């Protein structure tokens, strides 16, 4: 009842958007290659698990030429907003016939900042630090056609950056949030 999966991938993209002082041009080449591992299914009839790990090796293969016509000094650097490691594990357990509880852990390693498609951080080495987030879950079947579901995202109320937009702007992740949903089946 438990499925394991693995994948090796390589993505080469031409005409990528890269920074050419002071403008952005669409003439770069970027590469992301890596490995993805996953697990999903039931450990027991009551216990489900879903998870995965991804390793990504990213690179600015060819950035825009400098204003002096020289090769981009950031060639070979990691891409912006592309973490090297990402891990997730989520599990649910049916405590009673109509009640399930669960939770998950999500980890993302640091990622260099910078413009999308360009090398991360530039010469400033700006980066978004690694983070770990914990989510919680509960589901209660009211009857055969209705159930309540509670999701608490970022349960520990961690402050972290989910991505950068250039070297002077970052998007902060949402604070703790709870979502209660009434599901109806017919």
């Amino acid at each position: 009842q438990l499925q394991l999966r693995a994948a090796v991938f390589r993505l080469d993209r031409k005409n990528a958007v890269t920074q050419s002082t002071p403008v952005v041009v669409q003439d770069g080449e970027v590469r992301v290659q890596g490995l993805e591992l996953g697990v999903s299914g039931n450990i027991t009839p009551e216990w489900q698990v879903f998870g995965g790990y991804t390793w990504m090796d990213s690179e600015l293969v060819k950035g825009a030429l400098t204003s002096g016509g020289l090769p981009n000094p950031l060639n070979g650097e990691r891409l912006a907003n592309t973490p090297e490691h990402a891990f997730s594990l989520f599990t649910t357990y049916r405590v009673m016939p109509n009640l399930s509880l669960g939770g998950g852990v999500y980890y993302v390693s640091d990622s260099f900042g910078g413009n999308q498609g360009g090398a991360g951080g530039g010469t400033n080495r700006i980066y978004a630090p690694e983070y770990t987030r914990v989510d919680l879950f509960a589901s209660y079947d009211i009857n055969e056609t209705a159930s309540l579901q509670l999701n608490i995202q970022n349960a520990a109320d961690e402050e972290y950056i989910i991505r950068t937009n250039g070297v002077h702007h970052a998007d902060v992740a949402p604070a703790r949030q709870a979502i209660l949903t009434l599901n109806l089946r017919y």
Side-chain angles (χ1 to χ4, degrees):
Q1 297 282 348
L2 196 62
Q3 295 180 346
L4 303 174
R5 69 181 183 282
V8 176
F9 60 89
R10 178 172 170 160
L11 169 71
D12 289 303
R13 187 169 43 139
K14 298 189 184 299
N15 297 322
V17 176
T18 58
Q19 182 73 36
S20 174
T21 307
V23 297
V24 175
V25 294
Q26 192 171 348
D27 71 349
E29 292 180 30
V30 298
R31 173 178 297 139
V32 180
Q33 56 190 6
L35 168 72
E36 183 179 70
L37 304 172
V39 60
S40 64
N42 287 42
I43 295 175
T44 70
E46 296 81 21
W47 186 11
Q48 290 184 320
V49 64
F50 310 92
Y53 167 77
T54 304
W55 169 74
M56 291 187 288
D57 177 30
S58 66
E59 178 185 1
L60 176 64
V61 176
K62 184 189 101 175
L65 297 177
T66 65
S67 57
L70 298 173
N72 193 312
L74 300 176
N75 288 349
E77 294 289 330
R78 284 174 39 194
L79 297 179
N81 297 307
T82 308
E84 186 175 4
H85 304 280
F87 169 80
S88 67
L89 182 63
F90 195 88
T91 184
T92 61
Y93 190 83
R94 186 166 294 278
V95 179
M96 299 183 314
N98 58 346
L99 176 64
S100 294
L101 301 175
V105 176
Y106 302 89
Y107 168 80
V108 176
S109 66
D110 65 354
S111 60
F112 284 113
N115 297 315
Q116 288 288 15
T123 56
N124 298 324
R125 310 313 291 163
I126 303 298
Y127 70 96
E130 68 182 0
Y131 67 87
T132 301
R133 186 185 87 208
V134 175
D135 292 352
L136 300 174
F137 164 87
S139 176
Y140 182 77
D141 293 331
I142 299 168
N143 56 39
E144 290 182 10
T145 60
S147 65
L148 284 174
Q149 181 174 316
L150 175 64
N151 290 83
I152 300 175
Q153 296 173 341
N154 193 8
D157 203 22
E158 291 293 319
E159 293 181 4
Y160 61 93
I161 296 170
I162 53 174
R163 79 183 140 270
T164 63
N165 297 304
V167 296
H168 302 293
H169 176 79
D171 293 334
V172 177
R176 179 187 308 120
Q177 56 184 329
I179 302 167
L180 181 63
T181 307
L182 173 63
N183 296 307
L184 301 173
R185 295 179 292 276
Y186 53 93

